[in-house]
Amino acid sequence: MSSKAKKIIRNIILIICIITFVSSASFLLYYYLIIPTGEKNVYADLREAISKKFLRDNGLEYKPEQIVVSTGAKQSIYQVVMALINPGDEVIIPTPFWVSYKEIVKVAEGKCVYVPTKIENDFKVTPQQLEEAITPRTKLIMFSSPSNPTGMLYTKEELKGIAEVLERHPNVFVMADEIYEHINFEGKHESLAQFPSVKEQVITVNGVAKGFAMTGWRIGWICGNKDAIKQLLYKVICKFSFNNPNF
């Protein structure tokens, strides 16, 4: 490669770096200085629609400021893990599980703690198994219902048992992956966050890709208590690159 070609490539890379830095810095300035203190108006109409969706479909009351919109449920899961997990923190994952759970935890330098499920229990983790897996290092449980890849669905009574375990461990968060909520042929979908005693510990992830067959739109969301969402949003802004949904 000639020296002239190398110089052109270096200049292109420099321009891309400058644009990336300026756009990220502009977003920080916009979010923290230009928008008045209080409720942020970023994607306000979309976050309001998601808030109404939670109330209509799940009977859950969340304000728009408790919702973070992302480019799909996978990015949402990544953001939750990166915001909450420090090196050495334990993350409980019932098996079998969606392949990306493990890889995302590895990126955050967390430690995966696998809890095997059995076909006799419809591949559902039991409260006893969960209790035995929790240690002082446990920070997060990655939970999915309906499940990928098993397709199993937790009932309200089964979720209540999970909630009772969580009540005894208030410092443990649960990432409730509900992306397959509407792909359900067995009955009513139940959300773990419906139990008031653990609602503050549950961070729900969902999106439009599966139930609405809108994969290419890249819209997902995270919903949880205000403190967790503020921490998550701060780390997302400081650490991650931003991409807009592909409208």
Side-chain angles (χ1 to χ4, degrees):
M1 184 182 295
S2 68
S3 58
K4 184 176 181 180
K6 290 180 180 179
K7 185 176 181 180
I8 291 173
I9 292 172
R10 282 198 301 268
N11 288 338
I12 291 173
I13 293 173
L14 178 62
I15 291 171
I16 292 172
C17 291
I18 291 172
I19 291 173
T20 302
F21 173 79
V22 170
S23 63
S24 298
S26 299
F27 187 88
L28 281 168
L29 180 67
Y30 171 70
Y31 193 87
Y32 282 104
L33 300 181
I34 297 176
I35 302 176
T37 303
E39 181 179 349
K40 307 299 182 182
N41 294 317
V42 180
Y43 294 123
D45 52 348
L46 178 54
R47 289 158 64 225
E48 179 67 35
I50 294 168
S51 175
K52 292 178 179 178
K53 177 264 178 235
F54 271 112
L55 185 60
R56 180 191 69 230
D57 296 348
N58 310 105
L60 299 174
E61 292 189 25
Y62 286 110
K63 295 180 179 179
E65 58 263 34
Q66 293 178 267
I67 296 167
V68 176
V69 177
S70 68
T71 57
K74 184 171 185 175
Q75 188 199 356
S76 294
I77 295 169
Y78 177 81
Q79 290 171 182
V80 169
V81 173
M82 294 301 292
L84 295 179
I85 301 304
N86 293 313
D89 286 344
E90 293 180 356
V91 180
I92 294 175
I93 307 177
T95 66
F97 55 87
W98 181 49
V99 63
S100 292
Y101 286 173
K102 175 181 70 174
E103 303 305 325
I104 291 171
V105 173
K106 286 167 62 177
V107 172
E109 298 183 51
K111 178 183 177 182
C112 294
V113 177
Y114 302 114
V115 180
T117 61
K118 299 179 180 180
I119 192 171
E120 291 81 9
N121 292 331
D122 293 330
F123 297 110
K124 298 176 183 179
V125 66
T126 66
Q128 181 180 351
Q129 284 181 301
L130 201 58
E131 183 69 64
E132 292 173 353
I134 294 175
T135 74
R137 294 291 297 172
T138 303
K139 189 67 173 290
L140 180 67
I141 300 169
M142 303 187 83
F143 185 83
S144 176
S145 178
S147 168
N148 176 0
T150 67
M152 65 75 188
L153 181 72
Y154 284 85
T155 66
K156 185 174 182 178
E157 278 302 309
E158 289 167 338
L159 291 180
K160 184 179 179 182
I162 300 296
E164 289 172 352
V165 174
L166 294 173
E167 289 175 15
R168 297 190 288 272
H169 303 278
N171 294 323
V172 176
F173 284 97
V174 179
M175 187 282 297
D177 182 356
E178 298 189 355
I179 189 65
Y180 292 96
E181 171 186 7
H182 296 296
I183 304 179
N184 174 8
F185 307 98
E186 295 185 358
K188 182 179 180 294
H189 172 76
E190 301 287 351
S191 294
L192 184 58
Q194 68 181 287
F195 301 99
S197 60
V198 298
K199 186 178 179 182
E200 293 294 292
Q201 295 169 252
V202 179
I203 299 174
T204 302
V205 170
N206 209 328
V208 300
K210 301 301 188 292
F212 298 94
M214 295 167 62
T215 306
W217 287 57
R218 306 313 308 151
I219 298 177
W221 54 81
I222 308 159
C223 183
N225 75 64
K226 289 184 179 180
D227 289 339
I229 290 299
K230 285 180 180 178
Q231 178 187 6
L232 188 151
L233 194 56
Y234 173 77
K235 290 191 176 182
V236 167
I237 290 172
C238 292
K239 290 187 177 181
F240 305 140
S241 60
F242 288 82
N243 297 284
N244 292 323
N246 301 324
F247 289 107

